[in-house]
Amino acid sequence: MRDIRLAQTIAPFGVGAIYDYQGESLMLTDAGEWDKLATRRIVSPRLESALGGTELRTPPSVSSFASEKSPGIPFVRFPSWMFCQDCRRMRRQKRSDETGVSPACFVCGAGMVPMRFIAVCTKHSHVMDVPWDRWAHSEPLNEDQRKCALAGQELVFEPVANAGEALSGLRVACRGCRAQRTLAGLTSTDSLRRIGIKCLGGQPWQFNQPLCDERVEVLQRGATNVTTLEVSSALDIPEVERASDELDDVIDSHHLFAYVSSSPDSPLADSLIATIAQELNVTKEQVLGRLNGQGKDATPEKSQTITLLDAEWDAFKNVMDSPGNDLGHPNFEVSRQNLGSEWKDNGVGLLSLVESVLLVSRLREVRALQGFRRYSDDSDFVRANLGGGAGWDWAPAIEAFGEGVFIGLSNDALQQWESNEAVMARASRLETRRQRSQVGSRLPTVTPRSLLLHTTSHLLMRQLSFGSGYAAASLRERVYSNNGQAGILIYTASDDTEGTLGGLVREGEGSRLQATLMRALEAATWCSNDPVCAESPGQGMNSMNLASCHACALSSETSCSRMNLGLDRVLLIGAPDGSVPGFFGDVLQRLRDQIAAINV
């Protein structure tokens, strides 16, 4: 029996992920191995629909300390090869040897720790132990070593004297036949295939799977690409009649849209898109969104997230557009701030850029684990539930209750700013990289609006953590930038049914958020890595960030909805040489002028 928080069974220690627990290395089995009778149904119609009608259920859990009689979820010990920290002897822990307690050395009795390397299939997301007995005997010097009868029983994992700290400074040796081999070359391509090792074709909790012919590569068990979990989430909102499908039909019916759809790379495409937007009184982003498949006929990879966010945006928009029309849904309590009376007109012009602030005093979020991939983003997807059969078509999920602050920017101000050629060119660089990236294909289209909103969200999360009482890692974001949307929700949610403590809502009251936003923008004007960061041609995975690094705009993995990609603070504050206007650039300049006048 081990303890793990309920939320952690979805992410970051969901099905297929390695869970380091007090020196032990464990892996959660798929939901088909769980006791379904010990689970509880979670109702979230929008999320269930987005997942193809999959039923959502919580993992078995208890509200206090676990015992042997408590319902639980099964883990397996992985990697199963371990070594003693005292005498360095190695041992493979078989399933039949499992007693439930942390393994001890069979020679000296000291505690054993897992080996740090595992083997991952590059195509089908399988994972297996590195066969250390085969590795130690893979370079035999004589017939005794080639046919060692003690292979796997007398192995030791030890450092090599005077060999440095690289992998060549570690070796696996057999004390029976004296065979040995260092770890040099272990992580190179085809290192296991060269010694005749094939992929076992399954996961650590599966048995008797057919062998896989795909290549396996050796990775450190803590590497980020060992398991990439795919989690979807949705807020529990009241149903709002949507107008986006009607807009899609209007755009589709325009006489020029068919030509643009058939020839999106045509030299005339940009001008035709602008014509369509002008004649239909819509934004170019809305036409581009429909052209890129972000409407009702979107591709499955993108439509799921976009559909969920679109419905949420409509709920927020309903409150923004109707003063006094606050939402009192049991799990979605939203009230509108009157910026005219609450925010101070300090002469810097911030009120002309921020359209509305909504206080979300209660929200319910449902997070569902769909499955995972290993090694790369084009590897096969493995469902979180491999049980199959009647009654097993469900996915693990949790519900979390919390609070948040919603900020809506002025659409008119955004349209004027994002039409600037320098702004469009800067965003176009990242969109080109997104299209070429395997990871980027899972992200929304990069536009000036999405870059601005996403980066603003990150800066606000960092600043709000100072006054709200919540750690930065506990804050989350939802970015609404599709088809003319212009808002961000910063929230926190806990799987405790009582929710949270009100610190975020308090930060949104009165003029507090105005001061917080100004401080966040002022902090964005300087980064400890400048001028390198501000002038960077590309940072992050596949260079899908520009002026954004860990010192200024990146957030924790639990906070960001887009894997810390698609960020650029220059679009907020402007380029140092003035070549790119920042959306908040004039506000910051007026603020500096006021400070300079006071100092004089």
Side-chain angles (χ1 to χ4, degrees):
M1 300 298 298
R2 306 290 188 273
D3 291 326
I4 183 173
R5 291 187 60 187
L6 182 62
Q8 292 178 325
T9 61
I10 302 301
F13 305 123
V15 173
I18 290 179
Y19 175 42
D20 285 318
Y21 180 86
Q22 297 182 2
E24 298 178 273
S25 182
L26 311 173
M27 183 176 287
L28 178 59
T29 67
D30 76 89
E33 304 278 331
W34 305 0
D35 180 5
K36 184 181 180 182
L37 298 178
T39 65
R40 177 176 60 86
R41 173 76 188 277
I42 292 181
V43 178
S44 179
R46 291 196 309 118
L47 185 55
E48 290 172 351
S49 176
L51 298 180
T54 301
E55 185 179 276
L56 306 178
R57 305 190 73 88
T58 64
S61 64
V62 292
S63 58
S64 57
F65 293 102
S67 68
E68 293 183 1
K69 296 182 180 180
S70 302
I73 48 180
F75 283 78
V76 293
R77 199 176 298 281
F78 181 81
S80 58
W81 274 103
M82 315 184 79
F83 72 95
C84 175
Q85 299 182 85
D86 289 353
C87 69
R88 311 298 296 188
R89 284 185 177 269
M90 296 178 63
R91 175 188 177 186
R92 185 171 190 180
Q93 183 86 350
K94 300 179 181 178
R95 184 70 67 90
S96 58
D97 299 331
E98 188 61 65
T99 63
V101 300
S102 183
C105 179
F106 60 94
V107 176
C108 68
M112 303 194 78
V113 295
M115 295 293 288
R116 70 185 70 170
F117 294 99
I118 59 175
V120 176
C121 177
T122 58
K123 178 63 177 177
H124 299 305
S125 299
H126 302 141
V127 67
M128 56 184 259
D129 273 279
V130 175
W132 295 109
D133 48 349
R134 296 276 297 276
W135 181 263
H137 294 82
S138 60
E139 294 180 345
L141 300 177
N142 52 53
E143 195 66 19
D144 289 340
Q145 294 181 358
R146 188 174 288 108
K147 298 181 179 180
C148 178
L150 298 175
Q153 301 178 38
E154 293 292 334
L155 293 184
V156 292
F157 178 55
E158 57 189 8
V160 179
N162 302 321
E165 297 184 359
L167 290 182
S168 57
L170 297 169
R171 68 183 173 196
V172 178
C174 176
R175 290 186 175 179
C177 66
R178 304 299 180 184
Q180 63 178 9
R181 184 173 180 180
T182 71
L183 271 55
L186 177 67
T187 58
S188 62
T189 303
D190 285 335
S191 63
L192 296 184
R193 179 175 288 184
R194 286 193 292 268
I195 62 174
I197 303 299
K198 285 191 173 183
C199 177
L200 295 182
Q203 307 300 331
W205 60 88
Q206 295 178 313
F207 299 97
N208 301 320
Q209 299 293 312
L211 293 179
C212 170
D213 292 330
E214 293 296 332
R215 177 169 55 91
V216 292
E217 293 295 335
V218 177
L219 303 176
Q220 292 197 51
R221 60 184 174 89
T224 56
N225 61 337
V226 168
T227 310
T228 302
L229 299 173
E230 296 198 6
V231 178
S232 295
S233 69
L235 299 182
D236 187 1
I237 62 172
E239 291 297 327
V240 178
E241 184 177 351
R242 301 189 63 246
S244 59
D245 288 346
E246 181 180 350
L247 177 61
D248 290 339
D249 292 335
V250 172
I251 295 175
D252 289 347
S253 63
H254 194 279
H255 65 282
L256 295 177
F257 188 75
Y259 175 80
V260 178
S261 300
S262 60
S263 304
D265 298 326
S266 168
L268 299 176
D270 287 341
S271 61
L272 293 178
I273 290 172
T275 301
I276 295 172
Q278 182 178 5
E279 293 183 359
L280 296 180
N281 195 27
V282 298
T283 66
K284 291 179 62 176
E285 284 66 30
Q286 289 173 314
V287 180
L288 284 170
R290 186 67 187 128
L291 185 64
N292 292 330
Q294 294 181 357
K296 61 183 179 181
D297 299 322
T299 58
E301 293 79 3
K302 290 185 179 180
S303 64
Q304 181 187 107
T305 300
I306 290 170
T307 301
L308 292 171
L309 292 178
D310 283 352
E312 294 168 12
W313 165 260
D314 289 340
F316 287 121
K317 186 68 172 173
N318 187 39
V319 179
M320 286 190 290
D321 293 343
S322 305
N325 188 27
D326 296 348
L327 290 179
H329 188 271
N331 291 318
F332 195 66
E333 299 178 8
V334 183
S335 60
R336 177 177 174 177
Q337 283 280 86
N338 188 346
L339 299 188
S341 59
E342 299 288 352
W343 282 34
K344 301 174 182 177
D345 185 8
N346 50 21
V348 299
L350 187 60
L351 279 170
S352 65
L353 303 181
V354 178
E355 183 177 276
S356 58
V357 172
L358 306 181
L359 305 181
V360 187
S361 54
R362 182 171 176 84
L363 59 80
R364 173 180 177 260
E365 180 190 24
V366 178
R367 305 170 193 159
L369 175 60
Q370 296 177 254
F372 63 88
R373 286 183 170 86
R374 302 195 194 279
Y375 191 74
S376 67
D377 287 288
D378 60 348
S379 297
D380 288 351
F381 177 73
V382 180
R383 293 182 60 209
N385 190 336
L386 299 175
W392 285 107
D393 188 18
W394 60 277
I398 63 166
E399 56 183 352
F401 298 87
E403 55 167 321
V405 177
F406 177 90
I407 301 175
L409 299 185
S410 168
N411 199 48
D412 292 338
L414 271 172
Q415 289 182 9
Q416 180 179 355
W417 168 78
E418 63 192 357
S419 63
N420 183 279
E421 291 185 2
V423 171
M424 290 190 292
R426 195 168 177 90
S428 177
R429 290 163 58 187
L430 292 186
E431 171 59 13
T432 300
R433 296 170 187 173
R434 185 198 68 81
Q435 294 176 358
R436 295 173 180 173
S437 168
Q438 294 176 350
V439 175
S441 62
R442 300 164 55 190
L443 301 176
T445 303
V446 175
T447 64
R449 182 173 300 217
S450 71
L451 285 172
L452 171 71
L453 290 167
H454 191 201
T455 310
T456 302
S457 175
H458 276 227
L459 295 173
L460 266 177
M461 282 193 292
R462 294 167 72 103
Q463 194 65 43
L464 282 169
S465 66
F466 298 131
S468 65
Y470 298 110
S474 66
L475 299 180
R476 295 172 177 265
E477 67 172 0
R478 296 180 87 82
V479 180
Y480 305 95
S481 59
N482 180 53
N483 291 341
Q485 300 167 2
I488 55 177
L489 171 66
I490 299 175
Y491 68 102
T492 184
S494 167
D495 51 348
D496 189 318
T497 56
E498 295 300 323
T500 48
L501 303 175
L504 268 183
V505 170
R506 178 175 177 270
E507 286 300 303
E509 294 175 347
S511 61
R512 286 178 178 272
L513 190 60
Q514 181 184 21
T516 300
L517 180 56
M518 292 301 300
R519 284 194 292 267
L521 294 173
E522 181 62 28
T525 61
W526 185 84
C527 171
S528 59
N529 289 326
D530 280 344
V532 175
C533 177
E535 299 174 2
S536 172
Q539 302 184 73
M541 186 183 301
N542 301 134
S543 297
M544 284 191 285
N545 289 331
L546 290 176
S548 294
C549 68
H550 284 284
C552 59
L554 299 191
S555 66
S556 64
E557 293 181 6
T558 57
S559 301
C560 184
S561 60
R562 300 180 179 181
M563 298 183 288
N564 269 324
L565 301 176
L567 298 166
D568 182 16
R569 59 189 172 90
V570 163
L571 291 184
L572 277 71
I573 62 177
D577 59 1
S579 59
V580 180
F583 182 73
F584 297 101
D586 291 341
V587 169
L588 287 169
Q589 186 57 51
R590 295 189 193 104
L591 179 63
R592 294 191 187 100
D593 292 343
Q594 287 184 4
I595 295 174
I598 293 173
N599 291 335
V600 170

